[in-house]
Amino acid sequence: MNLAKVKLFALIGDPIDQSLSPAMHNAAFRALGLNCAYVALRVPERFLPDAIGGIRALGMAGFNVTTPHKISIVGLLDELDESASLVGAVNTVKNDRGKLIGFNTDGEGALRALKGKIGLIKKKEVVLLGAGGAAHAIAFSLASAGARLTIANRTVPKARAFASTIEQKLGINVEVISLARAKLTEALKNADALINATSVGMYPRADQTLVSASMMHRGLIVNDIVYRPLLTRLLREARRAGGRTIDGLGMLVHQGALAFEIWTGKRAPIKVMDAAAKRQLRGESM
Ligand code: NAP
């Protein structure tokens, strides 16, 4: 690597010390022989405008954005592409000769992970658990691709507000239900896929799940976007019910691959990125 000419990429967020993105992107740069490097930078909320000024001044080539900056960064950029303006949040920024352009690859990343098992998304019945940041990006992508969407959330008014935003922006009707067992069981009867976009089941509360095997059917495809642990309780329940599963690395690797392609214009080495993320997860003591 020629460090005097290196193109620099970063992740900004707080916290960032457990991120798998540096491992994934540096492995991809190495695999393609690119003179690029990717670092994780902790940016507390109050320093976000300074950090963006710094990125401009240093001429960094691009960066990823994570919690808590995905929404607040929008007003600090020069342009948003359609994916980011639809969701109102950004996870990827490209520095295009001084112009900072925001993208959102989270939703498309989740869609790509799902497509591997479900095929065409159009007209598929999908139950989405959650109405937070990740759920927003996923819901917009699913609705845009023609899925029939039911959103189930602990705080129902939040999910209703979110569903009406989707309806206004896309003209697509979205069902909203609570997490009550009877409601979820009913919604899952005819569902093709279930996606967990809540933090339920995430380490250290890895024994928790919002849906158990008795509420699922054999044909159901179950995608948990939680990836610590990789095999969540929800995915174990899905396997017991005879369903097919997709773990949280699917979305993570695909959103990273899409960012890589936006920055470099080259096809991302997905297998290399997936292996690097798995290696880092295996190295963690949980
Ligand atoms: P967020 O904006 O904080 O949203 C959290 C969601 O979880 C909300 O819908 C919240 O419901 C729900 N929730 C939290 N605790 C709950 C509980 N005890 N019972 C029921 N619902 C509960 O978080 P986020 O950024 O969307 O992230 C959600 C999860 O996705 C995290 O585990 C994160 O690590 C993971 N994630 C994975 C990827 C990937 O690439 N695989 C990408 C992004 C995020 P309320 O609305 O009622 O509070």
Side-chain angles (χ1 to χ4, degrees), residues 12 16 24 44 64 95 170 209 220 254 284:
I12 61 165
I16 39 81
M24 262 189 341
N64 284 131
N95 187 345
L170 297 176
T209 180
L220 193 68
H254 281 288
E284 291 176 5

Side-chain angles (χ1 to χ4, degrees), residues 66-67 70 106 129-136 138 152-156 158-159 179 196-200 202 208 210 224-228 247-253 255:
T66 190
T67 318
K70 285 186 178 182
D106 280 334
L129 305 175
H136 268 66
I138 295 170
N153 198 44
R154 177 177 60 181
T155 312
V156 174
K158 190 168 143 192
L179 294 176
N196 176 42
T198 74
S199 43
V200 175
M202 190 168 78
Q208 295 183 348
L210 295 170
D224 199 336
I225 73 159
V226 168
Y227 53 83
R228 281 190 177 91
D247 66 42
L249 276 194
M251 172 177 171
L252 185 86
V253 171
Q255 65 75 30

Side-chain angles (χ1 to χ4, degrees), residues 123 157 220-221 255 266:
K123 295 201 172 153
L220 193 68
I221 294 166
Q255 65 75 30
K266 297 182 191 304

